[in-house]
PDB file of all heavy atoms in Angstrom:
ATOM      1  N   ASN A   1    -125.327  67.498  -7.690  1.00 86.00           N
ATOM      2  CA  ASN A   1    -124.076  67.857  -8.333  1.00 86.00           C
ATOM      3  C   ASN A   1    -124.207  69.124  -9.163  1.00 86.00           C
ATOM      4  O   ASN A   1    -124.976  69.201 -10.141  1.00 86.00           O
ATOM      5  CB  ASN A   1    -123.718  66.723  -9.398  1.00 86.00           C
ATOM      6  CG  ASN A   1    -122.357  66.953  -9.972  1.00 86.00           C
ATOM      7  OD1 ASN A   1    -122.057  68.027 -10.423  1.00 86.00           O
ATOM      8  ND2 ASN A   1    -121.598  65.876 -10.077  1.00 86.00           N
ATOM      9  N   PRO A   2    -123.667  70.251  -8.653  1.00 86.00           N
ATOM     10  CA  PRO A   2    -123.861  71.582  -9.264  1.00 86.00           C
ATOM     11  C   PRO A   2    -123.645  71.644 -10.718  1.00 86.00           C
ATOM     12  O   PRO A   2    -124.324  72.248 -11.553  1.00 86.00           O
ATOM     13  CB  PRO A   2    -122.946  72.502  -8.459  1.00 86.00           C
ATOM     14  CG  PRO A   2    -122.739  71.901  -7.182  1.00 86.00           C
ATOM     15  CD  PRO A   2    -122.825  70.259  -7.420  1.00 86.00           C
ATOM     16  N   LEU A   3    -122.483  70.961 -11.221  1.00 91.00           N
ATOM     17  CA  LEU A   3    -122.169  70.972 -12.516  1.00 91.00           C
ATOM     18  C   LEU A   3    -123.206  70.269 -13.424  1.00 91.00           C
ATOM     19  O   LEU A   3    -123.708  70.769 -14.459  1.00 91.00           O
ATOM     20  CB  LEU A   3    -120.793  70.348 -12.844  1.00 91.00           C
ATOM     21  CG  LEU A   3    -120.293  70.307 -14.206  1.00 91.00           C
ATOM     22  CD1 LEU A   3    -120.229  71.659 -14.794  1.00 91.00           C
ATOM     23  CD2 LEU A   3    -119.043  69.547 -14.324  1.00 91.00           C
ATOM     24  N   LEU A   4    -123.619  69.129 -13.012  1.00 91.00           N
ATOM     25  CA  LEU A   4    -124.659  68.358 -13.717  1.00 91.00           C
ATOM     26  C   LEU A   4    -126.000  69.081 -13.662  1.00 91.00           C
ATOM     27  O   LEU A   4    -126.843  68.983 -14.637  1.00 91.00           O
ATOM     28  CB  LEU A   4    -124.823  66.977 -13.209  1.00 91.00           C
ATOM     29  CG  LEU A   4    -123.586  66.029 -13.418  1.00 91.00           C
ATOM     30  CD1 LEU A   4    -123.731  64.640 -12.797  1.00 91.00           C
ATOM     31  CD2 LEU A   4    -123.206  65.884 -14.865  1.00 91.00           C
ATOM     32  N   ALA A   5    -126.342  69.666 -12.568  1.00 89.00           N
ATOM     33  CA  ALA A   5    -127.582  70.448 -12.388  1.00 89.00           C
ATOM     34  C   ALA A   5    -127.632  71.577 -13.351  1.00 89.00           C
ATOM     35  O   ALA A   5    -128.638  71.865 -13.946  1.00 89.00           O
ATOM     36  CB  ALA A   5    -127.740  70.899 -10.866  1.00 89.00           C
ATOM     37  N   LYS A   6    -126.534  72.195 -13.480  1.00 90.00           N
ATOM     38  CA  LYS A   6    -126.492  73.305 -14.478  1.00 90.00           C
ATOM     39  C   LYS A   6    -126.604  72.851 -15.900  1.00 90.00           C
ATOM     40  O   LYS A   6    -127.411  73.522 -16.707  1.00 90.00           O
ATOM     41  CB  LYS A   6    -125.099  74.066 -14.432  1.00 90.00           C
ATOM     42  CG  LYS A   6    -124.997  75.266 -15.300  1.00 90.00           C
ATOM     43  CD  LYS A   6    -123.517  75.901 -15.151  1.00 90.00           C
ATOM     44  CE  LYS A   6    -123.439  77.108 -16.180  1.00 90.00           C
ATOM     45  NZ  LYS A   6    -122.040  77.694 -16.096  1.00 90.00           N
ATOM     46  N   LYS A   7    -125.988  71.734 -16.249  1.00 92.00           N
ATOM     47  CA  LYS A   7    -126.194  71.107 -17.558  1.00 92.00           C
ATOM     48  C   LYS A   7    -127.654  70.788 -17.794  1.00 92.00           C
ATOM     49  O   LYS A   7    -128.224  70.973 -18.931  1.00 92.00           O
ATOM     50  CB  LYS A   7    -125.277  69.932 -17.684  1.00 92.00           C
ATOM     51  CG  LYS A   7    -123.802  70.225 -17.802  1.00 92.00           C
ATOM     52  CD  LYS A   7    -123.036  68.977 -17.925  1.00 92.00           C
ATOM     53  CE  LYS A   7    -123.207  68.265 -19.252  1.00 92.00           C
ATOM     54  NZ  LYS A   7    -122.297  67.096 -19.420  1.00 92.00           N
ATOM     55  N   SER A   8    -128.313  70.217 -16.772  1.00 92.00           N
ATOM     56  CA  SER A   8    -129.639  69.752 -16.879  1.00 92.00           C
ATOM     57  C   SER A   8    -130.575  70.991 -17.171  1.00 92.00           C
ATOM     58  O   SER A   8    -131.403  71.037 -18.021  1.00 92.00           O
ATOM     59  CB  SER A   8    -130.163  69.135 -15.627  1.00 92.00           C
ATOM     60  OG  SER A   8    -131.511  68.823 -15.636  1.00 92.00           O
ATOM     61  N   PHE A   9    -130.342  72.064 -16.425  1.00 91.00           N
ATOM     62  CA  PHE A   9    -131.005  73.343 -16.508  1.00 91.00           C
ATOM     63  C   PHE A   9    -130.869  73.885 -17.919  1.00 91.00           C
ATOM     64  O   PHE A   9    -131.896  74.280 -18.549  1.00 91.00           O
ATOM     65  CB  PHE A   9    -130.571  74.322 -15.470  1.00 91.00           C
ATOM     66  CG  PHE A   9    -131.198  75.656 -15.593  1.00 91.00           C
ATOM     67  CD1 PHE A   9    -132.557  75.960 -15.083  1.00 91.00           C
ATOM     68  CD2 PHE A   9    -130.558  76.724 -16.190  1.00 91.00           C
ATOM     69  CE1 PHE A   9    -133.044  77.144 -15.261  1.00 91.00           C
ATOM     70  CE2 PHE A   9    -131.109  77.946 -16.304  1.00 91.00           C
ATOM     71  CZ  PHE A   9    -132.420  78.239 -15.816  1.00 91.00           C
ATOM     72  N   MET A  10    -129.636  73.982 -18.376  1.00 93.00           N
ATOM     73  CA  MET A  10    -129.394  74.517 -19.760  1.00 93.00           C
ATOM     74  C   MET A  10    -129.980  73.665 -20.817  1.00 93.00           C
ATOM     75  O   MET A  10    -130.497  74.158 -21.828  1.00 93.00           O
ATOM     76  CB  MET A  10    -127.862  74.755 -19.894  1.00 93.00           C
ATOM     77  CG  MET A  10    -127.220  75.704 -19.037  1.00 93.00           C
ATOM     78  SD  MET A  10    -127.979  77.340 -19.106  1.00 93.00           S
ATOM     79  CE  MET A  10    -127.774  77.726 -20.914  1.00 93.00           C
ATOM     80  N   HIS A  11    -130.010  72.430 -20.583  1.00 93.00           N
ATOM     81  CA  HIS A  11    -130.617  71.466 -21.544  1.00 93.00           C
ATOM     82  C   HIS A  11    -132.126  71.776 -21.719  1.00 93.00           C
ATOM     83  O   HIS A  11    -132.625  71.780 -22.757  1.00 93.00           O
ATOM     84  CB  HIS A  11    -130.444  70.095 -21.176  1.00 93.00           C
ATOM     85  CG  HIS A  11    -130.975  69.053 -22.156  1.00 93.00           C
ATOM     86  ND1 HIS A  11    -130.405  68.651 -23.322  1.00 93.00           N
ATOM     87  CD2 HIS A  11    -132.195  68.359 -22.118  1.00 93.00           C
ATOM     88  CE1 HIS A  11    -131.020  67.802 -23.955  1.00 93.00           C
ATOM     89  NE2 HIS A  11    -132.228  67.648 -23.238  1.00 93.00           N
ATOM     90  N   LEU A  12    -132.789  71.949 -20.602  1.00 94.00           N
ATOM     91  CA  LEU A  12    -134.212  72.269 -20.567  1.00 94.00           C
ATOM     92  C   LEU A  12    -134.585  73.643 -21.197  1.00 94.00           C
ATOM     93  O   LEU A  12    -135.481  73.699 -21.960  1.00 94.00           O
ATOM     94  CB  LEU A  12    -134.825  72.145 -19.197  1.00 94.00           C
ATOM     95  CG  LEU A  12    -134.859  70.670 -18.591  1.00 94.00           C
ATOM     96  CD1 LEU A  12    -135.240  70.836 -17.084  1.00 94.00           C
ATOM     97  CD2 LEU A  12    -135.829  69.853 -19.303  1.00 94.00           C
ATOM     98  N   VAL A  13    -133.839  74.640 -20.789  1.00 92.00           N
ATOM     99  CA  VAL A  13    -134.168  75.931 -21.218  1.00 92.00           C
ATOM    100  C   VAL A  13    -133.871  76.270 -22.703  1.00 92.00           C
ATOM    101  O   VAL A  13    -134.372  77.186 -23.314  1.00 92.00           O
ATOM    102  CB  VAL A  13    -133.596  77.096 -20.370  1.00 92.00           C
ATOM    103  CG1 VAL A  13    -134.184  76.976 -18.887  1.00 92.00           C
ATOM    104  CG2 VAL A  13    -132.126  76.970 -20.244  1.00 92.00           C
ATOM    105  N   THR A  14    -132.985  75.488 -23.280  1.00 93.00           N
ATOM    106  CA  THR A  14    -132.612  75.660 -24.685  1.00 93.00           C
ATOM    107  C   THR A  14    -133.349  74.622 -25.615  1.00 93.00           C
ATOM    108  O   THR A  14    -133.197  74.701 -26.920  1.00 93.00           O
ATOM    109  CB  THR A  14    -131.081  75.526 -24.860  1.00 93.00           C
ATOM    110  OG1 THR A  14    -130.746  74.172 -24.371  1.00 93.00           O
ATOM    111  CG2 THR A  14    -130.382  76.586 -24.100  1.00 93.00           C
ATOM    112  N   SER A  15    -134.149  73.703 -25.083  1.00 93.00           N
ATOM    113  CA  SER A  15    -134.760  72.660 -25.862  1.00 93.00           C
ATOM    114  C   SER A  15    -135.975  73.264 -26.504  1.00 93.00           C
ATOM    115  O   SER A  15    -136.775  73.919 -25.940  1.00 93.00           O
ATOM    116  CB  SER A  15    -135.133  71.444 -24.940  1.00 93.00           C
ATOM    117  OG  SER A  15    -135.925  70.557 -25.670  1.00 93.00           O
ATOM    118  N   GLN A  16    -136.157  72.819 -27.758  1.00 88.00           N
ATOM    119  CA  GLN A  16    -137.389  73.250 -28.496  1.00 88.00           C
ATOM    120  C   GLN A  16    -138.561  72.421 -28.078  1.00 88.00           C
ATOM    121  O   GLN A  16    -139.788  72.741 -28.341  1.00 88.00           O
ATOM    122  CB  GLN A  16    -137.137  72.941 -30.049  1.00 88.00           C
ATOM    123  CG  GLN A  16    -136.062  73.854 -30.682  1.00 88.00           C
ATOM    124  CD  GLN A  16    -135.943  73.703 -32.139  1.00 88.00           C
ATOM    125  OE1 GLN A  16    -136.421  72.634 -32.713  1.00 88.00           O
ATOM    126  NE2 GLN A  16    -135.289  74.466 -32.844  1.00 88.00           N
ATOM    127  N   ASN A  17    -138.387  71.359 -27.315  1.00 87.00           N
ATOM    128  CA  ASN A  17    -139.520  70.566 -26.830  1.00 87.00           C
ATOM    129  C   ASN A  17    -140.126  70.973 -25.527  1.00 87.00           C
ATOM    130  O   ASN A  17    -140.933  70.227 -24.929  1.00 87.00           O
ATOM    131  CB  ASN A  17    -138.923  69.078 -26.720  1.00 87.00           C
ATOM    132  CG  ASN A  17    -138.675  68.440 -28.005  1.00 87.00           C
ATOM    133  OD1 ASN A  17    -139.258  68.767 -29.058  1.00 87.00           O
ATOM    134  ND2 ASN A  17    -137.770  67.570 -28.134  1.00 87.00           N
ATOM    135  N   VAL A  18    -139.538  72.015 -24.945  1.00 91.00           N
ATOM    136  CA  VAL A  18    -139.994  72.507 -23.603  1.00 91.00           C
ATOM    137  C   VAL A  18    -140.954  73.712 -23.777  1.00 91.00           C
ATOM    138  O   VAL A  18    -140.532  74.704 -24.530  1.00 91.00           O
ATOM    139  CB  VAL A  18    -138.826  72.863 -22.634  1.00 91.00           C
ATOM    140  CG1 VAL A  18    -139.293  73.486 -21.366  1.00 91.00           C
ATOM    141  CG2 VAL A  18    -137.980  71.533 -22.353  1.00 91.00           C
ATOM    142  N   ASN A  19    -142.080  73.655 -23.157  1.00 88.00           N
ATOM    143  CA  ASN A  19    -142.971  74.737 -23.208  1.00 88.00           C
ATOM    144  C   ASN A  19    -142.408  76.106 -22.768  1.00 88.00           C
ATOM    145  O   ASN A  19    -141.697  76.110 -21.742  1.00 88.00           O
ATOM    146  CB  ASN A  19    -144.206  74.368 -22.353  1.00 88.00           C
ATOM    147  CG  ASN A  19    -145.357  75.409 -22.471  1.00 88.00           C
ATOM    148  OD1 ASN A  19    -145.177  76.556 -22.054  1.00 88.00           O
ATOM    149  ND2 ASN A  19    -146.478  74.983 -23.024  1.00 88.00           N
ATOM    150  N   PRO A  20    -142.570  77.274 -23.498  1.00 90.00           N
ATOM    151  CA  PRO A  20    -141.996  78.537 -23.138  1.00 90.00           C
ATOM    152  C   PRO A  20    -142.366  78.936 -21.615  1.00 90.00           C
ATOM    153  O   PRO A  20    -141.553  79.637 -20.905  1.00 90.00           O
ATOM    154  CB  PRO A  20    -142.517  79.560 -24.149  1.00 90.00           C
ATOM    155  CG  PRO A  20    -142.790  78.624 -25.393  1.00 90.00           C
ATOM    156  CD  PRO A  20    -143.283  77.296 -24.827  1.00 90.00           C
ATOM    157  N   PHE A  21    -143.547  78.676 -21.200  1.00 88.00           N
ATOM    158  CA  PHE A  21    -144.074  78.990 -19.927  1.00 88.00           C
ATOM    159  C   PHE A  21    -143.257  78.238 -18.911  1.00 88.00           C
ATOM    160  O   PHE A  21    -142.822  78.778 -17.852  1.00 88.00           O
ATOM    161  CB  PHE A  21    -145.525  78.661 -19.736  1.00 88.00           C
ATOM    162  CG  PHE A  21    -146.394  79.584 -20.498  1.00 88.00           C
ATOM    163  CD1 PHE A  21    -147.070  79.002 -21.674  1.00 88.00           C
ATOM    164  CD2 PHE A  21    -146.675  80.811 -20.258  1.00 88.00           C
ATOM    165  CE1 PHE A  21    -147.842  79.832 -22.467  1.00 88.00           C
ATOM    166  CE2 PHE A  21    -147.461  81.608 -20.964  1.00 88.00           C
ATOM    167  CZ  PHE A  21    -148.117  81.193 -22.140  1.00 88.00           C
ATOM    168  N   LEU A  22    -142.921  76.989 -19.216  1.00 91.00           N
ATOM    169  CA  LEU A  22    -142.040  76.199 -18.317  1.00 91.00           C
ATOM    170  C   LEU A  22    -140.702  76.726 -18.253  1.00 91.00           C
ATOM    171  O   LEU A  22    -140.075  76.719 -17.172  1.00 91.00           O
ATOM    172  CB  LEU A  22    -142.069  74.679 -18.772  1.00 91.00           C
ATOM    173  CG  LEU A  22    -141.302  73.688 -17.879  1.00 91.00           C
ATOM    174  CD1 LEU A  22    -141.791  73.739 -16.519  1.00 91.00           C
ATOM    175  CD2 LEU A  22    -141.452  72.315 -18.510  1.00 91.00           C
ATOM    176  N   LYS A  23    -140.162  77.103 -19.332  1.00 91.00           N
ATOM    177  CA  LYS A  23    -138.777  77.668 -19.317  1.00 91.00           C
ATOM    178  C   LYS A  23    -138.746  78.902 -18.474  1.00 91.00           C
ATOM    179  O   LYS A  23    -137.737  79.140 -17.805  1.00 91.00           O
ATOM    180  CB  LYS A  23    -138.362  78.043 -20.756  1.00 91.00           C
ATOM    181  CG  LYS A  23    -138.159  76.918 -21.746  1.00 91.00           C
ATOM    182  CD  LYS A  23    -137.658  77.349 -23.090  1.00 91.00           C
ATOM    183  CE  LYS A  23    -137.474  76.175 -24.004  1.00 91.00           C
ATOM    184  NZ  LYS A  23    -136.981  76.674 -25.321  1.00 91.00           N
ATOM    185  N   PHE A  24    -139.803  79.686 -18.462  1.00 91.00           N
ATOM    186  CA  PHE A  24    -139.859  80.890 -17.642  1.00 91.00           C
ATOM    187  C   PHE A  24    -139.865  80.587 -16.160  1.00 91.00           C
ATOM    188  O   PHE A  24    -139.267  81.338 -15.368  1.00 91.00           O
ATOM    189  CB  PHE A  24    -141.096  81.746 -18.054  1.00 91.00           C
ATOM    190  CG  PHE A  24    -141.289  82.974 -17.291  1.00 91.00           C
ATOM    191  CD1 PHE A  24    -140.485  84.111 -17.640  1.00 91.00           C
ATOM    192  CD2 PHE A  24    -142.186  83.098 -16.221  1.00 91.00           C
ATOM    193  CE1 PHE A  24    -140.730  85.238 -16.911  1.00 91.00           C
ATOM    194  CE2 PHE A  24    -142.390  84.206 -15.521  1.00 91.00           C
ATOM    195  CZ  PHE A  24    -141.600  85.442 -15.863  1.00 91.00           C
ATOM    196  N   ILE A  25    -140.541  79.490 -15.849  1.00 91.00           N
ATOM    197  CA  ILE A  25    -140.669  79.112 -14.417  1.00 91.00           C
ATOM    198  C   ILE A  25    -139.433  78.356 -13.798  1.00 91.00           C
ATOM    199  O   ILE A  25    -139.095  78.486 -12.698  1.00 91.00           O
ATOM    200  CB  ILE A  25    -141.898  78.164 -14.177  1.00 91.00           C
ATOM    201  CG1 ILE A  25    -143.152  79.011 -14.574  1.00 91.00           C
ATOM    202  CG2 ILE A  25    -141.978  77.610 -12.871  1.00 91.00           C
ATOM    203  CD1 ILE A  25    -144.467  78.163 -14.563  1.00 91.00           C
ATOM    204  N   LEU A  26    -138.717  77.747 -14.629  1.00 91.00           N
ATOM    205  CA  LEU A  26    -137.663  76.838 -14.259  1.00 91.00           C
ATOM    206  C   LEU A  26    -136.507  77.613 -13.372  1.00 91.00           C
ATOM    207  O   LEU A  26    -136.023  76.969 -12.373  1.00 91.00           O
ATOM    208  CB  LEU A  26    -136.965  76.115 -15.434  1.00 91.00           C
ATOM    209  CG  LEU A  26    -137.688  74.984 -16.017  1.00 91.00           C
ATOM    210  CD1 LEU A  26    -136.967  74.578 -17.277  1.00 91.00           C
ATOM    211  CD2 LEU A  26    -137.787  73.827 -14.982  1.00 91.00           C
ATOM    212  N   PRO A  27    -136.211  78.763 -13.710  1.00 91.00           N
ATOM    213  CA  PRO A  27    -135.173  79.535 -12.775  1.00 91.00           C
ATOM    214  C   PRO A  27    -135.562  79.689 -11.360  1.00 91.00           C
ATOM    215  O   PRO A  27    -134.782  79.738 -10.511  1.00 91.00           O
ATOM    216  CB  PRO A  27    -135.073  80.956 -13.468  1.00 91.00           C
ATOM    217  CG  PRO A  27    -135.406  80.739 -14.911  1.00 91.00           C
ATOM    218  CD  PRO A  27    -136.509  79.680 -14.851  1.00 91.00           C
ATOM    219  N   VAL A  28    -136.874  79.673 -11.085  1.00 88.00           N
ATOM    220  CA  VAL A  28    -137.381  79.706  -9.848  1.00 88.00           C
ATOM    221  C   VAL A  28    -137.625  78.350  -9.210  1.00 88.00           C
ATOM    222  O   VAL A  28    -137.331  78.110  -7.982  1.00 88.00           O
ATOM    223  CB  VAL A  28    -138.703  80.529  -9.667  1.00 88.00           C
ATOM    224  CG1 VAL A  28    -139.359  80.524  -8.350  1.00 88.00           C
ATOM    225  CG2 VAL A  28    -138.544  81.917 -10.177  1.00 88.00           C
ATOM    226  N   PHE A  29    -138.043  77.486 -10.043  1.00 89.00           N
ATOM    227  CA  PHE A  29    -138.384  76.128  -9.653  1.00 89.00           C
ATOM    228  C   PHE A  29    -137.192  75.290  -9.240  1.00 89.00           C
ATOM    229  O   PHE A  29    -137.303  74.466  -8.307  1.00 89.00           O
ATOM    230  CB  PHE A  29    -139.176  75.395 -10.793  1.00 89.00           C
ATOM    231  CG  PHE A  29    -139.978  74.255 -10.311  1.00 89.00           C
ATOM    232  CD1 PHE A  29    -141.014  74.405  -9.325  1.00 89.00           C
ATOM    233  CD2 PHE A  29    -139.786  72.934 -10.846  1.00 89.00           C
ATOM    234  CE1 PHE A  29    -141.752  73.375  -8.972  1.00 89.00           C
ATOM    235  CE2 PHE A  29    -140.556  71.915 -10.367  1.00 89.00           C
ATOM    236  CZ  PHE A  29    -141.512  72.022  -9.492  1.00 89.00           C
ATOM    237  N   TYR A  30    -136.182  75.478  -9.882  1.00 87.00           N
ATOM    238  CA  TYR A  30    -134.830  74.735  -9.563  1.00 87.00           C
ATOM    239  C   TYR A  30    -134.407  74.970  -8.122  1.00 87.00           C
ATOM    240  O   TYR A  30    -134.262  73.991  -7.336  1.00 87.00           O
ATOM    241  CB  TYR A  30    -133.725  75.090 -10.498  1.00 87.00           C
ATOM    242  CG  TYR A  30    -133.340  74.080 -11.486  1.00 87.00           C
ATOM    243  CD1 TYR A  30    -134.242  73.762 -12.533  1.00 87.00           C
ATOM    244  CD2 TYR A  30    -132.202  73.349 -11.475  1.00 87.00           C
ATOM    245  CE1 TYR A  30    -133.910  72.822 -13.510  1.00 87.00           C
ATOM    246  CE2 TYR A  30    -131.865  72.367 -12.346  1.00 87.00           C
ATOM    247  CZ  TYR A  30    -132.763  72.038 -13.399  1.00 87.00           C
ATOM    248  OH  TYR A  30    -132.434  71.143 -14.292  1.00 87.00           O
ATOM    249  N   PRO A  31    -134.303  76.190  -7.633  1.00 86.00           N
ATOM    250  CA  PRO A  31    -133.851  76.402  -6.215  1.00 86.00           C
ATOM    251  C   PRO A  31    -134.945  75.880  -5.254  1.00 86.00           C
ATOM    252  O   PRO A  31    -134.521  75.347  -4.143  1.00 86.00           O
ATOM    253  CB  PRO A  31    -133.780  77.988  -6.186  1.00 86.00           C
ATOM    254  CG  PRO A  31    -133.467  78.375  -7.563  1.00 86.00           C
ATOM    255  CD  PRO A  31    -134.321  77.414  -8.457  1.00 86.00           C
ATOM    256  N   TYR A  32    -136.208  76.051  -5.555  1.00 84.00           N
ATOM    257  CA  TYR A  32    -137.293  75.452  -4.722  1.00 84.00           C
ATOM    258  C   TYR A  32    -137.080  73.954  -4.569  1.00 84.00           C
ATOM    259  O   TYR A  32    -137.190  73.476  -3.452  1.00 84.00           O
ATOM    260  CB  TYR A  32    -138.607  75.739  -5.377  1.00 84.00           C
ATOM    261  CG  TYR A  32    -139.731  75.047  -4.711  1.00 84.00           C
ATOM    262  CD1 TYR A  32    -140.264  75.479  -3.467  1.00 84.00           C
ATOM    263  CD2 TYR A  32    -140.267  74.012  -5.307  1.00 84.00           C
ATOM    264  CE1 TYR A  32    -141.333  74.741  -2.925  1.00 84.00           C
ATOM    265  CE2 TYR A  32    -141.288  73.250  -4.783  1.00 84.00           C
ATOM    266  CZ  TYR A  32    -141.860  73.624  -3.596  1.00 84.00           C
ATOM    267  OH  TYR A  32    -142.845  72.975  -2.975  1.00 84.00           O
ATOM    268  N   LEU A  33    -136.858  73.207  -5.643  1.00 86.00           N
ATOM    269  CA  LEU A  33    -136.685  71.762  -5.557  1.00 86.00           C
ATOM    270  C   LEU A  33    -135.517  71.384  -4.766  1.00 86.00           C
ATOM    271  O   LEU A  33    -135.516  70.435  -3.938  1.00 86.00           O
ATOM    272  CB  LEU A  33    -136.488  71.159  -7.019  1.00 86.00           C
ATOM    273  CG  LEU A  33    -137.802  71.099  -7.831  1.00 86.00           C
ATOM    274  CD1 LEU A  33    -137.419  70.620  -9.221  1.00 86.00           C
ATOM    275  CD2 LEU A  33    -138.802  70.163  -7.206  1.00 86.00           C
TER     276      LEU A  33
END
């Protein structure tokens, strides 16, 4: 679901509980998955 996937992505990259290195990788990792 593109809308829910976007919400999930934004939740992760804006969360204080996510490692900065992981936030950097997520934009590439999402399309790969």
Side-chain angles (χ1 to χ4, degrees):
N1 185 315
L3 180 59
L4 294 179
K6 180 180 178 181
K7 290 179 66 176
S8 171
F9 175 79
M10 294 305 300
H11 181 80
L12 289 173
V13 298
T14 59
S15 173
Q16 294 182 347
N17 294 328
V18 176
N19 185 296
F21 294 105
L22 181 56
K23 290 182 181 181
F24 180 77
I25 292 172
L26 283 174
V28 176
F29 200 58
Y30 253 71
Y32 167 78
L33 286 175

